[in-house]
Amino acid sequence: MNWLEPVAVATGIVSVYLSVKQKIWSWPTALVNVALYFVVFREQKLYADMGLQVIYFALSLYGWYEWLYGGENRTELKVSRATPGMAVTLAAIAVVGVAVLGTLFARFTDAALPYVDSATATTSLVAQWMMTRKVLENWVVWIAVDVVYVGMFIYKHLYLTSGLYAGFLVLAVMGHVQWRRSYRADRDTGRAAVGLAATT
C-alpha cells in the first residue's frame, strides 16, 4: 500500500499543473489520481474524501468534455467569472453538505475527523465543479481548502499528501493569476472585435 501515496501525489501534481495551464490532459491524469486516492483515503478512514473521489471521477469526465466542447457553438470553453447567484447557490450547497455529511459520519461511522473531513470534501466538490466550467474563482476556493487540507493530512501522518496539498496551494495561486490574465485577454479581444464591427 505504501507505493500508492507517492504515485497519487505525482499524478496529482501533474494534473493540477496542467489545469493551471488550461491543458486538456489535466483531466485524464485526474482520473488516475482520484482512483489512487480512493484507496488511500479508505485505508485512513477518511470516508468523506474517499467518497469524494467517486464524484471527482465523474466530474473529471464531465470537465474533459466541457473544456473541449462547452464553449459557444461547441467550441473550447473560455474562462468566466462567477455570478452572484452562482456564488450564493454554491455556498449554500457547501454549508448544507458539511452539516449533513458531518453529522452522518460522526454518528454512524468511525470517521477520524468527521466535520473537518466533510467540510474539505464538500467545498472541494464545489471548487471542482467550478473548474469544470472554467470559473475563475475556483482557484480562490481551492486556496482556502488547501490550507485546511495541509493541516489535516499532517494530523493524519500523511506527510507526502500534506506536501502535495502545500504544492497545490502554490499552484492554486498560480492558477488564479494565469486564469485571470486569460480572462482579461479574452475579454479585451471580445471588446476589440465588437468595436471593429461597430466601425464597419
Side-chain angles (χ1 to χ4, degrees):
M1 192 63 63
N2 291 338
W3 64 271
L4 284 177
E5 189 184 2
V7 176
V9 166
T11 56
I13 291 172
V14 171
S15 178
V16 175
Y17 176 77
L18 292 173
S19 295
V20 169
K21 298 296 184 180
Q22 298 185 57
K23 302 296 185 182
I24 198 65
W25 281 99
S26 66
W27 296 112
T29 53
L31 293 173
V32 176
N33 176 253
V34 299
L36 292 172
Y37 266 116
F38 178 90
V39 180
V40 172
F41 290 142
R42 183 185 63 188
E43 292 299 312
Q44 292 295 320
K45 298 181 180 181
L46 294 171
Y47 300 125
D49 279 301
M50 182 190 75
L52 184 62
Q53 304 313 302
V54 177
I55 303 173
Y56 275 162
F57 196 92
L59 281 174
S60 294
L61 293 173
Y62 173 72
W64 195 346
Y65 177 85
E66 284 296 311
W67 278 29
L68 286 173
Y69 306 113
E72 188 175 353
N73 298 320
R74 290 178 54 80
T75 57
E76 180 183 350
L77 191 64
K78 302 294 185 183
V79 177
S80 62
R81 298 295 304 267
T83 64
M86 178 191 293
V88 170
T89 299
L90 293 177
I93 289 171
V95 169
V96 171
V98 172
V100 172
L101 284 178
T103 300
L104 288 174
F105 285 128
R107 291 186 178 181
F108 302 112
T109 76
D110 59 347
L113 300 166
Y115 288 99
V116 176
D117 189 24
S118 296
T120 53
T122 303
T123 309
S124 294
L125 181 59
V126 167
Q128 187 72 2
W129 180 85
M130 294 171 74
M131 181 177 285
T132 68
R133 298 299 305 152
K134 278 196 179 179
V135 177
L136 173 62
E137 289 79 8
N138 88 87
W139 295 112
V140 176
V141 180
W142 278 124
I143 289 168
V145 172
D146 289 340
V147 170
V148 179
Y149 266 130
V150 169
M152 184 178 77
F153 290 131
I154 289 175
Y155 177 78
K156 291 299 295 180
H157 307 293
L158 290 170
Y159 299 116
L160 280 176
T161 301
S162 178
L164 170 65
Y165 277 82
F168 283 167
L169 178 58
V170 174
L171 288 171
V173 173
M174 291 172 55
H176 187 263
V177 171
Q178 293 196 22
W179 280 34
R180 184 172 57 188
R181 288 175 183 165
S182 178
Y183 171 77
R184 289 175 175 173
D186 289 340
R187 182 186 59 186
D188 292 344
T189 300
R191 286 176 177 175
V194 170
L196 181 60
T199 59
T200 57

